Amino acid sequence: MKRSLVILGVLALLATACDSGADPTTTTSTTLATTTTTLATTTSTLPATTTTVAAIEPANLVFRGGDVVTMDAEYGTMEAIAIENDVIVAVGSNDEIDAYIGPDTFVVELDGRTLIPGFVDPHTHLLTDAGGLAEGQPLALLNGITSAGDGSAEPGVVEEFVAADIAQELRVRTSLYLARTDPCGEDQGDWYLDYPMGKFLGNRIRIGGVKIFEDGGVCGALAVSEPWIAGYVNGDVYHDIDTLAGWIAEADAAGYQVITHAQGDLAISHVQDAYQVVLDGGDNVNRHRIEHNSFITDAVVNRYGELGIIPTVFSYSPACAPDAGWLEFYQLYGDRPDTIIAANPDLVVAWHGDDPWLPPISPLLDLFSYVTRAQIAEDGSICEPTDWMASGAIGVEQGLAMMTINGAYAINQDHLIGSLVPGKLADMALLSANPLTIDPWDIPTIEVLGTFIGAGIEFCLEGSEAYCPGW
């Protein structure tokens, strides 16, 4: 039964933490409690049978009376959740979770509101390029982002984040991707080897992997095979396949995940070729990724699944600029999340915000754009998509998975975060409505009422204090 699996989940979490060399379940305010519950035992003698059922220990915190969207196929959407310090111990119906309420349990009545896993953005610059932690981190938290992968950490950034973590100023769980090249493709050397892959450098900071740029967008133009918008001069790839494969192979051999910036179809094809050389028919054990993937042509679309390479995909839709000079090449292949998902049904595809460089800074508005292909204008109005834009839409459940459990997979943290199931960390966003059940066109009306990291409240919308224990 599900409750009997709770202890196994917690033990697995503890074992993972021990193997990592640090305790990722430790936060700046709470630590993982040791459970005293034992597995049920059964002793039998013929003809009588005696069964001893494990006692349920009261939890520290219970949310009940709402939608708990677990993002897990087995659990689906439940009514309530029980948490012991940082860790989820049970999800279920109100009646089932009431068994975890003791005299010291803090109970939050959700009154029909919705808990989802905190948004996991595998590729962002919000914590570095949006005014640093002092300004970027509050933006992340008020939008329900609980974990972030910094998309290109330059030398010196690691020490800044470690210092912030020691000072208890780092609230968002952060995975740093260390720059092998700068945005113009210039080699920065193997300095990243000083920081072991996956190592937790503090409570909420770890090394996520290595970043390489293969075409423009930040510096220079996109490497696209055909003109895609009037007046745009296409760029070229930064490196030959041998050079790119050499850098990837060096990092792969040392156990690092590699994320490679490739927006144009020519760049994507080059990166796929390089990964194919390195993997040599084997599995993508280190979960190497391709970032952005703006132009998904027939030549590249099926190769993601064939190679097992994880793509992170923009939610971007140009609905507010339908007459900007988009050429047929863009209309067929540009910024179409449906294409890559439909062609690779068994592939993990993840969202990324790439904030603050591609606004709006809002996972919920990104979800809205994914599922409608509409866009929010600067004045807050909705720009409806043309037919060719609308045909690229994906389903709400697919989009939400890309932003939670798939995002966690993309940063190698899906064993800890990304879904609300027993044994995982209680990183959650409290929403005013359930995006899976309302009209998709109403998603922009959903508010983030609270953001919890390890069940500790990190943001609470004014007026929602009743749902924010400890605020």
Side-chain angles (χ1 to χ4, degrees):
M1 303 297 288
K2 290 178 182 176
R3 286 201 188 111
S4 68
L5 295 175
V6 171
I7 304 307
L8 295 177
V10 175
L11 290 175
L13 188 65
L14 288 170
T16 302
C18 293
D19 289 343
S20 72
D23 184 5
T25 64
T26 303
T27 71
T28 55
S29 58
T30 57
T31 55
L32 178 64
T34 302
T35 179
T36 58
T37 309
T38 58
L39 294 173
T41 58
T42 303
T43 58
S44 299
T45 58
L46 295 177
T49 300
T50 301
T51 302
T52 302
V53 179
I56 294 176
E57 294 288 325
N60 296 146
L61 178 62
V62 163
F63 291 87
R64 66 186 307 281
D67 284 351
V68 179
V69 179
T70 68
M71 297 310 299
D72 180 89
E74 179 185 357
Y75 290 91
T77 297
M78 295 293 188
E79 294 179 307
I81 186 169
I83 298 160
E84 178 68 20
N85 291 335
D86 288 3
V87 178
I88 299 165
V89 295
V91 291
S93 68
N94 288 330
D95 289 344
E96 289 172 328
I97 300 306
D98 283 349
Y100 290 84
I101 298 175
D104 298 321
T105 304
F106 196 107
V107 180
V108 177
E109 295 290 347
L110 291 172
D111 299 323
R113 289 156 182 81
T114 299
L115 279 172
I116 66 169
F119 292 112
V120 181
D121 191 340
H123 183 128
T124 183
H125 306 275
L126 197 54
L127 304 183
T128 51
D129 296 350
L133 281 176
E135 297 181 27
Q137 188 164 234
L139 284 174
L141 293 171
L142 69 85
N143 281 290
I145 297 172
T146 56
S147 288
D150 185 273
S152 185
E154 303 288 342
V157 169
V158 176
E159 286 70 26
E160 292 177 13
F161 273 83
V162 170
D165 190 75
I166 291 171
Q168 300 188 4
E169 296 170 354
L170 184 60
R171 314 308 302 163
V172 176
R173 300 192 197 278
T174 303
S175 297
L176 296 178
Y177 287 87
L178 311 183
R180 174 72 204 222
T181 75
D182 70 8
C184 298
E186 294 297 323
D187 184 16
Q188 304 299 296
D190 60 3
W191 67 277
Y192 64 86
L193 292 171
D194 291 337
Y195 304 94
M197 168 66 196
K199 182 177 178 60
F200 280 84
L201 304 177
N203 290 335
R204 296 186 178 180
I205 181 70
R206 64 183 286 272
I207 300 301
V210 177
K211 170 69 175 293
I212 298 172
F213 285 83
E214 181 58 3
D215 74 343
V218 180
C219 171
L222 279 59
V224 185
S225 59
E226 294 185 27
W228 59 279
I229 189 170
Y232 189 87
V233 178
N234 294 342
D236 200 357
V237 296
Y238 284 164
H239 314 104
D240 60 59
I241 292 173
D242 288 343
T243 298
L244 188 59
W247 288 338
I248 295 171
E250 180 180 43
D252 180 78
Y256 289 84
Q257 180 188 31
V258 178
I259 67 172
T260 308
H261 169 115
Q263 295 207 65
D265 61 310
L266 291 181
I268 294 168
S269 179
H270 256 233
V271 174
Q272 289 175 334
D273 287 344
Y275 280 136
Q276 184 171 10
V277 169
V278 173
L279 296 176
D280 192 26
D283 294 334
N284 182 17
V285 175
N286 291 327
R287 301 187 184 179
H288 301 312
R289 294 169 15 198
I290 299 178
E291 308 302 285
H292 309 318
N293 304 281
S294 297
F295 287 86
I296 309 301
T297 60
D298 296 340
V300 303
V301 66
N302 293 309
R303 295 187 69 197
Y304 296 95
E306 292 167 1
L307 296 170
I309 300 299
I310 303 165
T312 62
V313 182
F314 285 125
S315 71
Y316 176 72
S317 164
C320 288
D323 302 319
W326 310 108
L327 302 181
E328 184 179 14
F329 187 75
Y330 181 80
Q331 294 182 20
L332 289 174
Y333 302 117
D335 295 305
R336 295 187 60 94
D338 69 313
T339 301
I340 195 168
I341 292 167
N344 301 278
D346 297 324
L347 184 70
V348 175
V349 180
W351 159 74
H352 69 305
D354 203 21
D355 298 319
W357 303 116
L358 197 66
I361 301 173
S362 169
L364 285 169
L365 294 185
D366 283 350
L367 178 63
F368 172 68
S369 189
Y370 268 140
V371 304
T372 65
R373 305 312 289 152
Q375 188 182 20
I376 303 296
E378 290 185 4
D379 63 3
S381 62
I382 294 176
C383 301
E384 296 194 12
T386 63
D387 289 344
W388 63 266
M389 295 175 193
S391 64
I394 62 175
V396 179
E397 189 166 3
Q398 174 69 56
L400 194 58
M402 291 165 65
M403 299 176 141
T404 55
I405 187 61
N406 290 11
Y409 183 92
I411 60 171
N412 281 290
Q413 293 292 281
D414 53 306
H415 61 296
L416 294 173
I417 58 174
S419 58
L420 302 181
V421 298
K424 287 195 177 182
L425 296 167
D427 290 7
M428 306 176 294
L430 175 63
L431 306 182
S432 59
N434 186 344
L436 297 179
T437 59
I438 68 169
D439 187 320
W441 287 90
D442 290 333
I443 289 175
T445 69
I446 299 176
E447 293 182 298
V448 176
L449 305 181
T451 302
F452 303 85
I453 300 181
I457 181 67
E458 299 290 355
F459 164 76
C460 188
L461 185 67
E462 185 176 357
S464 301
E465 291 81 5
Y467 310 106
C468 303
W471 187 254

